[in-house]
Amino acid sequence: MPLTVVYLDAFLALNFGVNYALLACAGKLDGEPRAPGRMALGAALGAGYAALALAPGWGFLEHPACQAGAAVVMLLAAYGHSEKLLRTGGIFLVLSCAFGGLLLLLSLARGTPAGPGGLLGPGLGMRGILIAAALCYGILSLVLGGQFTHTRTGGELQNLTLSRGRRTVELLALYDTGNTLRDPLTGRPVVVVEGEKLSPLLPELGELDRQRLAHPVELLRDLHDRAGALGLQLLPYRAVGVECGLLLALRVDRARWGGGEYRDCLTALSPTPLSDGGGYSALIGGQEGS
């Protein structure tokens, strides 16, 4: 049997890149916000696990139970305790299986069988791995993309970026012409966001949980004179079953999505999820100045 030589630095770099791409693709297909630092941490943990599994005496790490545990750790590192972690993890699993299958197919087509432990990278080379990754993402984007598309009259999903100072948050938003909530002072459209998602924009407040957001008057009262400096205010609204309600609102520098942009706009912090299945976490709608 020919000896397979594996260079640790190249092996770690290759696994890190593949893990990062799979985690990012899973998040993109599921509409889950992707933080590059967390993606890198998850990818690094996966690469370290793969390298350790090749070490003498550590072959037990190739057991399916160990592999499943490693995948869970990677997902938790990349996405934290997301409400959609289970679904994102399922997509990550499908992507990983499809990627491995394409690697095996390309390996057999080239006549380069897998090495010890199913190692396919050295035989295929970087080009083969990149081709497999591109095919995997392209095919699954077509197959799975439609499973997470929200179909609603007058609405479509958009990638939304909210900016406040140097801090940004990326969300998946539904563009809904039925969202007519407006800033009472300027008349500009208001972006409605699940309040928990805006914690990175307001680190001064700590974790924005639903219980605190459900009582916006008390929350604003607790802040005393800091509310104005933080850009917080109360926003009145009406909805089905709610004649006159109040939401906590945050003024952001910019709200940008594929179809447009609002500057110096209000974002209303919803204490409850905006979609039943967690497919999106924000609502944009209306037209500037209309």
Side-chain angles (χ1 to χ4, degrees):
M1 178 181 294
L3 181 65
T4 300
V5 178
V6 179
Y7 295 96
L8 183 60
D9 54 349
F11 181 79
L12 286 172
L14 179 60
N15 273 271
F16 175 85
V18 170
N19 290 338
Y20 189 98
L22 291 174
L23 288 168
C25 288
K28 182 176 181 180
L29 288 173
D30 200 20
E32 182 72 7
R34 302 173 301 284
R38 299 200 67 140
M39 295 289 109
L41 175 60
L45 289 173
Y49 167 82
L52 195 59
L54 289 179
W58 290 84
F60 66 91
L61 290 178
E62 294 183 5
H63 190 278
C66 295
Q67 293 177 346
V72 170
V73 171
M74 288 174 61
L75 289 165
L76 287 173
Y79 295 107
H81 296 282
S82 167
E83 294 180 354
K84 298 190 293 182
L85 184 63
L86 185 60
R87 192 170 72 173
T88 306
I91 297 175
F92 174 74
L93 178 61
V94 172
L95 282 169
S96 300
C97 292
F99 178 72
L102 283 171
L103 280 181
L104 179 60
L105 184 63
L106 288 174
S107 179
L108 293 175
R110 293 187 55 180
T112 53
L119 197 62
L120 293 168
L124 281 175
M126 183 63 72
R127 178 180 297 181
I129 292 174
L130 291 177
I131 291 174
L135 287 174
C136 174
Y137 178 69
I139 293 172
L140 289 175
S141 292
L142 293 174
V143 174
L144 295 178
Q147 301 299 320
F148 305 102
T149 300
H150 185 89
T151 56
R152 176 173 173 175
T153 303
E156 60 179 358
L157 294 181
Q158 299 277 355
N159 289 315
L160 172 69
T161 301
L162 299 174
S163 304
R164 182 174 180 268
R166 296 183 177 181
R167 301 186 178 99
T168 62
V169 169
E170 293 184 2
L171 306 165
L172 194 65
L174 175 70
Y175 188 87
D176 182 12
T177 55
N179 175 28
T180 58
L181 191 61
R182 298 252 172 187
D183 185 334
L185 295 179
T186 66
R188 295 173 179 171
V190 173
V191 178
V192 183
V193 181
E194 293 178 8
E196 294 174 307
K197 304 293 185 180
L198 291 189
S199 292
L201 294 185
L202 287 168
E204 301 90 343
L205 300 186
E207 191 69 24
L208 289 171
D209 56 49
R210 296 177 184 177
Q211 185 174 0
R212 296 177 70 194
L213 293 170
H215 302 88
V217 177
E218 289 81 354
L219 178 56
L220 206 60
R221 185 186 300 125
D222 292 340
L223 295 174
H224 300 293
D225 56 348
R226 288 198 300 158
L230 293 175
L232 293 169
Q233 66 183 70
L234 292 176
L235 179 69
Y237 75 99
R238 287 187 299 174
V240 178
V242 181
E243 182 62 28
C244 184
L246 290 172
L247 290 172
L248 187 67
L250 170 68
R251 190 167 295 279
V252 298
D253 299 330
R254 178 181 297 174
R256 177 183 293 176
W257 66 96
E261 177 182 278
Y262 296 149
R263 291 180 178 270
D264 188 29
C265 75
L266 278 182
T267 57
L269 280 64
S270 171
T272 58
L274 297 176
S275 67
D276 295 335
Y280 55 90
S281 53
L283 293 174
I284 49 179
Q287 294 293 329
E288 187 79 50
S290 61

